Amino acid sequence: MSVRQLPMFPLGSVLVPGSALSLHVFEPRYQALVKDCVAAPDHEFGVVLIDRGHEVGGGDVRRKVGVVARIVRVAELPGGRFAVIAVGLGRLRVLQWLADAPYPCAEIEEWPDDDEPVDRELLASVTTRTRRALALATELGDPVESTELGLDANDSDAATSYQLADAAPIGADDRYRLLCAPGPAARLRMLATLLDDVEAAQQFRLQGP
């Protein structure tokens, strides 16, 4: 596996491969990260979930699995701030955190999905259930990015499993567990189990007081 050093951006949310990430960068150390990434040939940095602490100010505790992200658009705003759009490329595992100088950096290895075959019936079922859970979340007034999954028949099983993991109305910790699944087959099985809890909670809420 490929091992390299990468600038890191710890966040309070989970980025998955194939998903877009919008950032409003105002903290000086991350302004420096954006400038360095834009100057680098690949425009890449790592994103990991913060386990404890906050995005601003440092002192956070970070998870070990994340995603390599590539900046695809950047706009400089007044006061040296940046509006950044990046896209998740593939998974990473942090081997070692390096000194924050001035922003977090880590030695990472890329972590591809395994190739266990996907159960086609399970894929169809999880897709249908995710769409239904999103529709019910909207009906219940829960915040959702979109009820449209935007799946493409030409997408790989890994890409589809990540899209479903990103769209499902679950919390950051559960989404992180899906990110850490060995591959798309295991990810879909895990998501099916998580949807059991989501559906039960939604049905309870729909019954009213």
Side-chain angles (χ1 to χ4, degrees):
M1 296 184 182
S2 175
V3 176
R4 56 176 167 146
Q5 292 184 9
L6 201 63
M8 302 295 289
F9 205 130
L11 291 174
S13 56
V14 178
L15 177 67
V16 302
S19 294
L21 173 67
S22 297
L23 295 170
H24 175 204
V25 181
F26 57 87
E27 196 174 356
R29 59 179 177 159
Y30 292 119
Q31 291 173 353
L33 181 150
V34 170
K35 291 177 182 177
D36 287 350
C37 286
V38 170
D42 57 15
H43 311 314
E44 292 178 0
F45 61 97
V47 177
V48 291
L49 177 66
I50 293 174
D51 198 22
R52 294 190 302 277
H54 304 281
E55 295 176 1
V56 178
D60 51 89
V61 178
R62 306 152 186 166
R63 300 281 178 101
K64 293 292 188 181
V65 175
V67 168
V68 177
R70 176 175 294 153
I71 294 176
V72 294
R73 187 179 305 170
V74 60
E76 188 166 1
L77 305 175
R81 297 172 294 126
F82 292 98
V84 174
I85 298 178
V87 62
L89 300 180
R91 292 190 299 182
L92 64 82
R93 284 189 285 215
V94 174
L95 302 177
Q96 180 182 2
W97 285 100
L98 307 174
D100 290 11
Y103 47 76
C105 291
E107 183 178 88
I108 65 99
E109 66 175 359
E110 297 176 6
W111 183 23
D113 280 2
D114 69 20
D115 56 0
E116 178 188 355
V118 166
D119 183 317
R120 312 319 295 177
E121 291 185 2
L122 177 62
L123 174 58
S125 171
V126 169
T127 300
T128 298
R129 293 174 66 192
T130 301
R131 285 197 171 101
R132 184 168 60 237
L134 283 170
L136 285 176
T138 301
E139 182 178 339
L140 291 164
D142 296 336
V144 295
E145 290 289 333
S146 172
T147 57
E148 296 296 326
L149 290 178
L151 300 179
D152 190 315
N154 295 320
D155 286 340
S156 67
D157 289 336
T160 299
S161 72
Y162 280 126
Q163 289 181 67
L164 292 168
D166 190 46
I170 56 177
D173 192 61
D174 285 336
R175 208 175 318 279
Y176 178 78
R177 290 172 56 202
L178 292 172
L179 176 66
C180 295
R187 188 168 300 115
L188 290 169
R189 290 193 295 268
M190 186 183 298
L191 182 52
T193 300
L194 292 173
L195 286 170
D196 290 340
D197 294 335
V198 171
E199 290 164 348
Q202 289 180 330
Q203 289 302 319
F204 179 80
R205 292 171 63 194
L206 287 170
Q207 292 172 3

